[in-house]
Amino acid sequence: MHCAVRRVKRPASSLRPRSSHRSLATHASQVGKDCSSITPPYPQLLKNLALVRERLNNRPLTLAEKILYSHLFHPTSDLGANGIVRGETYLQLRPERVAMQDASAQMALLQFMSAGLGRTAVPTSIHCDHLIQAITGADDDLNKSLVSNQEVFDFLESAARKYGIEFWKPGSGIIHQIVLENYAAPGMLMLGTDSHTPNAGGLGLLAIGVGGADAVDAMTGTPWELKAPQVVGIHLTGTLNNWATPKDLILYLAGKLTVKGGTGRILEYFGPSVSSQSCTGLATVANMGAEVGATTSTFPYTSSMRAYLHATGRGPVANAADEAAAQGFLSADPGAEYDEIIEVNLSNIEPTINGPFTPDLATPLSKFGSFIKEQGWKDEISASLIGSCTNSSYEDMTRVADLARQAKAAGLTSKVPFLCTPGSEQIRATMERDMVTEVLEDVGATVLANACGPCIGQWKREDKKEEENAILTSFNRNFKSRNDGNRLTMNFLASPTIVTAMAFSGKLSFNPNTDSIPLPSGEQFRFTAPSGMDLPSTGFTAGDASYYPPPTPEPQPGTQVVIKEDSQRLEVLQPFSSHFGAGNRRGLELPTLKVLMRVRGKCTTDHISAAGPWLKYKGHLTNISENLLITAVNDEGGEVNVAFDHDANSAESKTDTIPGVAKRFKARHQPWALIVDENYGEGSAREHAALQPRFYGCALIIARSFARIHETNLKKQGVLPLWFADKNDYGRIGAGDLVETVGLAGLLRGYPDTAVHVRVTKPDGDVFEILTNHTMSSDQLRWLEAGSALNHIRSQIS
């Protein structure tokens, strides 16, 4: 049994609109729970680590290394002749848990179902948080979602029941907050099908965001592969002062590291000031490590983590962690070497605002007013939004409530729409009990459903359409069009307290540390720095028990997984064919490919597979593929969502949308390639950004550089990612060119040092070759040869 309190189970038919009245009668204080399924097997992990240490000549290890190496699938045989080299050695790992959100769970489950197993190999959970749209408020929005998404929720719940997966119903909260409250444990290794899975690192574990195919590895008991990351040590000293919060620490670091500074690296925080941060504050820092491309972030075990475990009913986990920590498992060894050390004095951190359009454009609040003037922006905000998986803790909400009480006492209400998203039903219920909700609503806040909402584009915003405007949020990501579908909306990221203070001013330049707000009386009002409570003094309350799953459910193999025959939301996934079948005359080289386009500049997974209204098609590959790269910029002409078809017949146009040309290629049985820029696939973990091009026939993507999760997702689906050895070659290849791999056959035949070139034939007959690099391991080459990782797994199981 895991640590969720045992609740009364409601049948699947209970996923129906709820009464809008929220009763306090279901509130109950947290009690101790059976934590056997989430307490890491510390004795076995320590034993594994001892075996690895011996092979590594007992050198001092970082915390990240201890957790990774103790989870090796075969700790005595998985090490190469040179041991483990960070940044080079591929590790075969055994994760302890998988968590999936409702949007990504659809495709992950469809893939898992095709493997033919009767249950998951590790404890797994599904969290319904992405499909609830923010429109008017919590209850109405949840009711609408239950109607509009009933088909998907029925599928997820029936699959969960069939395979013994814990199903957190719509309204229960955001996956990352629920994982922190219920499943995370110090020293654990877990996977989640969302890029912000590292949020759980606030409890001193390694929580890694992956695509659905990676999750299927763990769910089928297949070794999960990861190139041993480099480890960046971030040494914290000093004390956060006044308005500065842990959010400001990670906003500051995002500015220093940039959106790709953490790629292939784990951020490991250490130093005297780690222990002075709350557990949920550390979770905020770990959450936004995703914005710098980090594999994950972690912290040594602290008294704050222990207190949080006890407060959330997981005393047995805390007690076991205490013993493991006493044996040196939950912190770095003295003398451990990092690949880089970044020194941060928290006393020098000030409130920071990042954006617009990228999470690494960091500006100290004291300089933000000048920055606004330099850019010529209007000095106004159109909305303030707090909450999301990044900043929806009890501490965040009580700090914000302190500001609301100050404003209310002065007779102020919010000058702009002020939207608040609780992270979980537990947070919502505790906020309500402790009058936090009341004070926020008294100053004009609208409390939304316990779900992702505006943070991921699920915001039905009726104002400011196609109008330039600025919003301030405590979210983690701020790409164009992400929140409200308006490419002109500038989203600035800040701490919840700064976002709240600005809501009462209405000005983008407002600095609550120095500026005042005029009152009707003619007096001036100035906020004092807010204070909050790390944990509720009377304990958390669970709220509505009907949202929660029964713990560790047994599979019910007789359950029929619900997929309508004519569904436009769900589609049974058909296996991809191998590139090296009978129709390929080039043997173990990829077939001759035609370049569809050259993508210019930043191309995130939002560009490749947009969310927002497209979320409803996450379980239907044919339908969602209609949005392939629709906001990407074609480097040949500079237009958005325009591709050239050099083989168009007389009845076809020479240009079309990008998915339009991709569909033409598929209809002609013409496999194709993409040429892309730096950090391709930055952002969300959504594997649809790899599935969609593969569905239309993409076999090769050549990039100046890739984001980690997306590169892995491409490999999983049988798309070969290659890196330009000379980044200037990016501009030499364009739409209509024919490209052929040269040397791939050597890799597939087992010669790992074989160089892979790409032969390019231009439409005018000119031919040249370029050198590329790759990160393919021997196992990943087997995925490519089989057509996908799932094809390979299925062949091994059968």
Side-chain angles (χ1 to χ4, degrees):
M1 293 172 58
H2 72 53
C3 275
V5 175
R6 186 174 290 277
R7 312 285 183 185
V8 177
K9 184 179 179 183
R10 292 166 65 192
S13 61
S14 65
L15 288 179
R16 292 173 180 158
R18 305 173 54 81
S19 166
S20 62
H21 175 66
R22 291 177 181 263
S23 171
L24 294 177
T26 57
H27 289 177
S29 297
Q30 288 281 14
V31 296
K33 309 165 186 175
D34 181 339
C35 295
S36 56
S37 76
I38 68 157
T39 303
Y42 292 121
Q44 183 61 51
L45 296 178
L46 285 161
K47 181 180 178 180
N48 293 348
L49 187 59
L51 295 172
V52 177
R53 279 187 184 279
E54 186 176 349
R55 292 288 304 277
L56 299 179
N57 298 317
N58 292 307
R59 68 170 173 84
L61 300 177
T62 67
L63 171 60
E65 288 181 300
K66 289 181 181 182
I67 299 175
L68 282 177
Y69 303 165
S70 65
H71 286 86
L72 284 171
F73 211 88
H74 301 292
T76 58
S77 60
D78 280 352
L79 306 185
N82 298 320
I84 297 174
V85 180
R86 295 195 302 232
E88 296 183 17
T89 305
Y90 276 93
L91 306 176
Q92 303 286 320
L93 299 165
R94 190 191 301 271
E96 292 161 54
R97 176 170 289 278
V98 170
M100 303 182 288
Q101 40 93 337
D102 51 356
S104 59
Q106 297 170 59
M107 194 58 68
L109 285 170
L110 289 166
Q111 293 178 82
F112 175 75
M113 288 163 57
S114 70
L117 298 181
R119 69 184 306 156
T120 60
V122 297
T124 302
S125 57
I126 297 170
H127 305 263
C128 296
D129 61 356
H130 274 54
L131 298 179
I132 301 171
Q133 190 176 37
I135 306 173
T136 58
D139 293 300
D140 287 346
D141 294 347
L142 179 58
N143 287 341
K144 288 184 176 71
S145 173
L146 292 174
V147 173
S148 62
N149 298 298
Q150 184 76 49
E151 180 182 354
V152 172
F153 294 147
D154 284 348
F155 163 70
L156 295 175
E157 189 169 30
S158 62
R161 192 161 54 251
K162 183 179 182 70
Y163 298 111
I165 297 171
E166 294 172 30
F167 179 72
W168 292 78
K169 295 178 181 177
S172 59
I174 303 172
I175 177 173
H176 309 305
Q177 183 66 28
I178 291 175
V179 166
L180 193 70
E181 293 173 352
N182 294 273
Y183 297 129
M188 177 185 280
L189 173 64
M190 69 165 291
L191 305 181
T193 59
D194 190 281
S195 59
H196 292 110
T197 299
N199 184 84
L203 263 171
L205 63 149
L206 295 185
I208 301 177
V210 297
D214 273 20
V216 170
D217 283 350
M219 293 163 68
T220 58
T222 303
W224 176 65
E225 188 171 78
L226 176 72
K227 181 181 284 187
Q230 293 186 333
V231 185
V232 177
I234 301 178
H235 186 230
L236 300 184
T237 58
T239 304
L240 291 170
N241 296 311
N242 297 321
W243 288 81
T245 70
K247 179 63 168 273
D248 298 299
L249 166 62
I250 191 58
L251 292 173
Y252 164 81
L253 285 171
K256 296 297 182 185
L257 289 168
T258 78
V259 291
K260 60 180 182 177
T263 303
R265 308 167 109 187
I266 290 176
L267 305 184
E268 180 174 313
Y269 295 76
F270 69 104
S273 297
V274 172
S275 60
S276 62
Q277 309 307 310
S278 68
C279 175
T280 50
L282 296 180
T284 292
V285 175
N287 181 297
M288 279 197 66
E291 310 322 316
V292 301
T295 301
T296 193
S297 302
T298 195
F299 309 84
Y301 183 53
T302 68
S303 59
S304 295
M305 296 178 192
R306 180 186 303 111
Y308 186 78
L309 286 168
H310 281 289
T312 51
R314 291 174 287 172
V317 177
N319 296 337
D322 289 343
E323 293 183 18
Q327 298 178 67
F329 182 56
L330 300 179
S331 60
D333 290 331
E337 293 187 4
Y338 296 92
D339 294 283
E340 179 184 357
I341 292 181
I342 299 173
E343 296 284 348
V344 180
N345 185 340
L346 297 181
S347 302
N348 297 329
I349 296 291
E350 67 169 294
T352 301
I353 298 180
N354 288 29
F357 305 134
T358 185
D360 60 349
L361 180 57
T363 307
L365 181 60
S366 60
K367 299 180 180 179
F368 195 63
S370 299
F371 180 56
I372 295 165
K373 290 181 180 179
E374 291 169 5
Q375 302 301 317
W377 294 326
K378 293 180 181 179
D379 187 11
E380 62 184 33
I381 58 175
S382 61
S384 284
L385 302 95
I386 61 171
S388 84
C389 68
T390 324
N391 284 109
S392 57
S393 68
Y394 187 78
E395 181 180 27
D396 289 325
M397 294 304 175
T398 52
R399 285 172 62 89
V400 164
D402 187 354
L403 294 177
R405 290 187 184 96
Q406 294 181 43
K408 181 180 177 181
L412 294 174
T413 57
S414 174
K415 291 187 177 179
V416 296
F418 182 27
L419 307 181
C420 171
T421 305
S424 69
E425 172 62 7
Q426 176 172 280
I427 293 295
R428 182 210 65 77
T430 308
M431 286 173 59
E432 186 173 309
R433 181 200 65 192
D434 295 348
M435 312 304 287
V436 172
T437 303
E438 180 178 317
V439 72
L440 291 176
E441 291 178 338
D442 283 348
V443 295
T446 298
V447 178
L448 300 175
N450 312 322
C452 298
C455 184
I456 61 158
Q458 287 284 53
W459 182 17
K460 189 176 181 182
R461 191 182 188 191
E462 298 298 339
D463 64 329
K464 306 297 181 182
K465 293 183 177 180
E466 293 303 312
E467 178 182 343
E468 184 174 281
N469 71 103
I471 63 175
L472 206 67
T473 80
S474 68
F475 303 162
N476 45 34
R477 198 161 279 166
N478 58 352
F479 303 141
K480 283 186 179 181
S481 305
R482 179 175 176 88
N483 303 110
D484 60 2
N486 179 5
R487 62 185 178 84
L488 301 178
T489 294
M490 298 183 290
N491 177 2
F492 294 94
L493 308 173
S495 71
T497 47
I498 295 299
V499 174
T500 299
M502 283 198 180
F504 294 101
S505 166
K507 291 186 176 181
L508 198 55
S509 64
F510 180 69
N511 182 347
N513 202 31
T514 58
D515 298 344
S516 301
I517 298 174
L519 299 174
S521 64
E523 297 178 313
Q524 297 290 316
F525 166 77
R526 180 179 294 182
F527 286 108
T528 59
S531 62
M533 297 178 65
D534 178 3
L535 299 169
S537 59
T538 55
F540 287 107
T541 186
D544 190 335
S546 64
Y547 289 131
Y548 302 159
T552 56
E554 280 297 311
Q556 299 179 31
T559 302
Q560 182 70 37
V561 177
V562 180
I563 301 178
K564 294 180 181 178
E565 188 172 337
D566 59 348
S567 174
Q568 294 301 302
R569 299 288 300 272
L570 297 160
E571 177 183 53
V572 176
L573 194 63
Q574 300 300 319
F576 294 127
S577 60
S578 170
H579 304 296
F580 308 99
N584 180 5
R585 298 180 179 179
R586 303 192 68 238
L588 290 179
E589 301 291 346
L590 289 177
T592 300
L593 311 173
K594 187 168 288 276
V595 175
L596 188 145
M597 68 178 290
R598 186 171 69 232
V599 179
R600 177 187 297 177
K602 182 187 281 285
C603 190
T604 71
T605 51
D606 279 31
H607 293 86
I608 307 166
S609 177
W614 292 94
L615 281 174
K616 62 179 174 286
Y617 297 129
K618 283 284 189 176
H620 199 294
L621 184 55
T622 300
N623 284 345
I624 199 170
S625 293
E626 294 284 348
N627 77 3
L628 177 67
L629 289 160
I630 58 175
T631 59
V633 177
N634 192 326
D635 192 52
E636 299 176 88
E639 294 179 285
V640 174
N641 195 24
V642 173
F644 303 102
D645 183 1
H646 295 275
D647 297 324
N649 60 39
S650 58
E652 296 173 320
S653 60
K654 296 296 184 181
T655 62
D656 199 345
T657 64
I658 297 170
V661 173
K663 285 191 288 185
R664 293 186 190 183
F665 281 17
K666 182 176 183 178
R668 296 172 193 155
H669 304 287
Q670 172 62 66
W672 50 275
L674 276 179
I675 308 301
V676 297
D677 215 323
E678 294 279 9
N679 207 31
Y680 181 73
E682 170 193 343
S684 298
R686 62 192 67 160
E687 67 178 336
H688 294 75
L691 281 161
Q692 291 170 217
R694 180 73 166 99
F695 175 71
Y696 282 141
C698 180
L700 171 67
I701 298 180
I702 314 177
R704 282 176 162 161
S705 64
F706 287 96
R708 176 192 65 85
I709 298 177
H710 185 63
E711 184 185 23
T712 300
N713 286 346
L714 291 170
K715 294 175 181 178
K716 288 283 184 178
Q717 302 306 335
V719 178
L720 176 64
L722 295 177
W723 302 55
F724 287 107
D726 180 351
K727 292 184 178 182
N728 291 321
D729 286 336
Y730 160 83
R732 299 177 66 191
I733 310 175
D737 293 355
L738 297 178
V739 295
E740 298 171 311
T741 58
V742 180
L744 178 61
L747 291 179
L748 290 172
R749 291 190 180 108
Y751 300 100
D753 296 329
T754 305
V756 178
H757 292 75
V758 173
R759 181 185 299 122
V760 182
T761 303
K762 306 294 285 187
D764 62 6
D766 184 33
V767 179
F768 60 89
E769 284 192 6
I770 64 168
L771 177 64
T772 66
N773 299 320
H774 73 89
T775 62
M776 300 290 288
S777 70
S778 58
D779 284 317
Q780 291 167 354
L781 288 166
R782 300 286 79 78
W783 305 343
L784 180 68
E785 189 172 10
S788 72
L790 189 58
N791 289 352
H792 180 65
I793 290 173
R794 192 183 302 110
S795 69
Q796 299 303 300
I797 292 174
S798 61

